[in-house]
Amino acid sequence: AAEQPRQLGRLADASRTAVRHMNDVVWGLDARHDSVPELLDRLRDHAYEVLPPKGLEVDFAADLAVEATALPLPARQALYLIYKEALHNVVKHAAGATLVRVQLAVALGRLVLTVRDDGRVPTPATRNGNGNGHGQGNMARRAAAVGGRYHGGPAAGGGYEVVATVPVA
């Protein structure tokens, strides 16, 4: 009987996670959300779901050119999944981090997403994304699959930085 509330709590958490994942799938496939401002709203929503509960502040910045940018569906999906992985990595690996900066910019026909934390830079063996060494590779493959690029590593001035670029429409 004492275990029942704990089990119900785990079930509720699993249900909320499943709903979030399903919402991500539906959102990612909906062509009405092909603008970068729509993507930025989704990025903000996800950051505020996962970072403040872990004690991390979020700072968003987007260039004005972002407002008029359209993003093909595959690029939008890839960028969003890269972003989610980057935030997951911050939560899991950025020891001592207090702030995560997210920036979107348009440069040379590409949308550039930068996610930077101010934590201690972990060793490559511990900063691998999902615990089994596939996070960095998955982000790089997602970017490459849509004609983009990915880089993750120590940021100038400290912390860790993920930069992903994808072509815009």
Side-chain angles (χ1 to χ4, degrees):
E3 178 67 20
Q4 190 174 22
R6 207 175 353 219
Q7 288 176 336
L8 288 174
R10 284 193 298 263
L11 180 60
D13 288 344
S15 297
R16 281 190 289 275
T17 299
V19 168
R20 270 197 310 272
H21 288 297
M22 185 60 74
N23 285 339
D24 284 348
V25 169
V26 171
W27 176 85
L29 295 174
D30 191 338
R32 293 174 296 173
H33 303 296
D34 67 347
S35 73
V36 174
E38 288 274 349
L39 175 64
L40 184 59
D41 288 344
R42 190 71 177 189
L43 299 179
R44 280 188 180 119
D45 289 349
H46 184 69
Y48 286 112
E49 278 180 24
V50 300
L51 296 176
K54 299 296 182 182
L56 294 161
E57 287 185 54
V58 182
D59 178 38
F60 275 86
D63 292 353
L64 290 177
V66 166
E67 295 294 323
T69 303
L71 197 58
L73 175 64
R76 184 183 68 210
Q77 290 171 329
L79 200 64
Y80 185 63
L81 291 173
I82 290 167
Y83 175 76
K84 286 182 69 172
E85 181 75 30
L87 292 190
H88 173 80
N89 288 351
V90 169
V91 168
K92 189 170 182 180
H93 300 291
T98 59
L99 177 65
V100 177
R101 294 187 188 279
V102 177
Q103 182 177 11
L104 281 176
V106 177
L108 303 172
R110 295 183 172 274
L111 182 64
V112 181
L113 169 71
T114 304
V115 178
R116 180 180 297 143
D117 67 62
D118 64 350
R120 290 186 298 281
V121 177
T123 65
T126 61
R127 186 69 178 233
N128 59 23
N130 59 12
N132 62 11
H134 298 253
Q136 298 286 337
N138 286 342
M139 289 187 279
R141 279 187 292 282
R142 284 187 174 114
V146 296
R149 293 188 177 168
Y150 163 82
H151 170 76
Y160 196 87
E161 177 177 75
V162 165
V163 179
T165 64
V166 295
V168 297

